Amino acid sequence: EAGVAQSPRYKIIEKRQSVAFWCNPISGHATLYWYQQILGQGPKLLIQFQNNGVVDDSQLPKDRFSAERLKGVDSTLKIQPAKLEDSAVYLCASSRQRTTGELFFGEGSRLTVL
Amino acid sequence: DQQVKQNSPSLSVQEGRISILNCDYTNSMFDYFLWYKKYPAEGPTFLISISSIKDKNEDGRFTVFLNKSAKHLSLHIVPSQPGDSAVYFCAASDSGGGADGLTFGKGTHLIIQP
């Protein structure tokens, strides 16, 4: 079974520029999550999708972050404009169903904002 | 306000001995707890979980203990092996066993010494 795929693995941008991250979950997984992990911290949930609907985006800074999951499969997370404090690893995870606590994480996309 | 706390940033244990990783939580609504393991440049991987209706769950060399009155859980690894060297994250959920809105601790870096 193929794992969660994310790209790009690394991205360096200047502040105020924009960036987009892509995630392809495990086939058949209805729930998709985007987490932000700042160095030295644990992952923090940004947004959760169930199929193509948003379940929870309460911690997503909506003035600069946006995410979509068209057709309920792939997802894109965008940051525009980026700030220095957005430097982090952005982890995508998926789960087969929300009733199980096991998440399958991708390798992450490391963003550096200069 | 950290709801899930891992107060030891790092822990060094000799190979073959027991590793004990601790986690405290403050939210009494949490009813499901998980441990994830993370190697450098990889996403976290699920290790073991426990429901609040239990006080112990075992899986091979890994055992998780839950003390609800103290709001404390611990992960025991016996015997510790070099491949166990990784960052371990404690996570908690209040969604009745599901993965919705997992709250992660900051992690403990376990180092197994030969």
Side-chain angles (χ1 to χ4, degrees):
Chain A
E1 177 177 68
V4 176
Q6 289 189 246
S7 68
R9 287 296 309 276
Y10 304 93
K11 188 75 177 179
I12 301 174
I13 61 173
E14 301 277 340
K15 60 183 178 183
R16 290 187 289 273
Q17 287 186 322
S18 63
V19 62
F21 301 110
W22 172 83
C23 173
N24 182 245
I26 293 173
S27 177
H29 282 196
T31 312
L32 185 147
Y33 310 78
W34 282 102
Y35 280 83
Q36 179 193 57
Q37 186 179 11
I38 293 171
L39 187 65
Q41 305 286 323
K44 184 185 88 170
L45 179 68
L46 291 176
I47 188 167
Q48 175 184 341
F49 293 94
Q50 178 71 16
N51 296 309
N52 60 351
V54 175
V55 173
D56 182 359
D57 63 357
S58 57
Q59 299 191 85
L60 187 73
K62 298 180 187 64
D63 57 334
R64 298 183 300 104
F65 286 65
S66 65
E68 59 183 12
R69 192 184 183 197
L70 300 176
K71 301 180 183 178
V73 182
D74 293 9
S75 177
T76 303
L77 175 70
K78 295 179 181 177
I79 307 174
Q80 182 180 2
K83 291 186 175 181
L84 296 177
E85 59 260 36
D86 298 332
S87 293
V89 175
Y90 291 86
L91 293 161
C92 179
S94 68
S95 67
R96 190 170 291 110
Q97 54 189 26
R98 289 166 63 187
T99 52
T100 63
E102 182 178 352
L103 301 184
F104 295 85
F105 283 88
E107 293 179 322
S109 294
R110 180 179 294 278
L111 173 66
T112 302
V113 182
L114 302 176
Chain B
D1 178 35
Q2 266 195 287
Q3 297 188 67
V4 177
K5 300 178 185 179
Q6 293 178 258
N7 292 319
S8 298
S10 67
L11 175 68
S12 184
V13 174
Q14 202 163 12
E15 182 179 356
R17 305 294 282 265
I18 182 171
S19 295
I20 300 176
L21 293 90
N22 293 304
C23 177
D24 297 294
Y25 62 95
T26 58
N27 188 342
S28 57
M29 298 300 293
F30 287 147
D31 56 10
Y32 192 65
F33 304 88
L34 308 93
W35 286 92
Y36 281 81
K37 176 179 179 179
K38 185 182 183 304
Y39 292 119
E42 294 184 11
T45 55
F46 171 76
L47 191 57
I48 193 169
S49 64
I50 187 166
S51 164
S52 60
I53 62 173
K54 294 184 175 181
D55 54 18
K56 178 182 174 181
N57 188 26
E58 204 169 346
D59 184 3
R61 296 186 298 115
F62 303 91
T63 303
V64 57
F65 295 92
L66 175 62
N67 182 336
K68 281 178 293 187
S69 61
K71 293 191 177 66
H72 176 83
L73 62 155
S74 60
L75 174 68
H76 292 212
I77 307 173
V78 182
S80 300
Q81 298 176 353
D84 297 330
S85 294
V87 176
Y88 289 79
F89 291 100
C90 173
S93 166
D94 61 0
S95 59
D100 286 4
L102 280 182
T103 301
F104 284 82
K106 290 187 177 182
T108 296
H109 185 192
L110 176 64
I111 302 161
I112 305 301
Q113 300 198 334

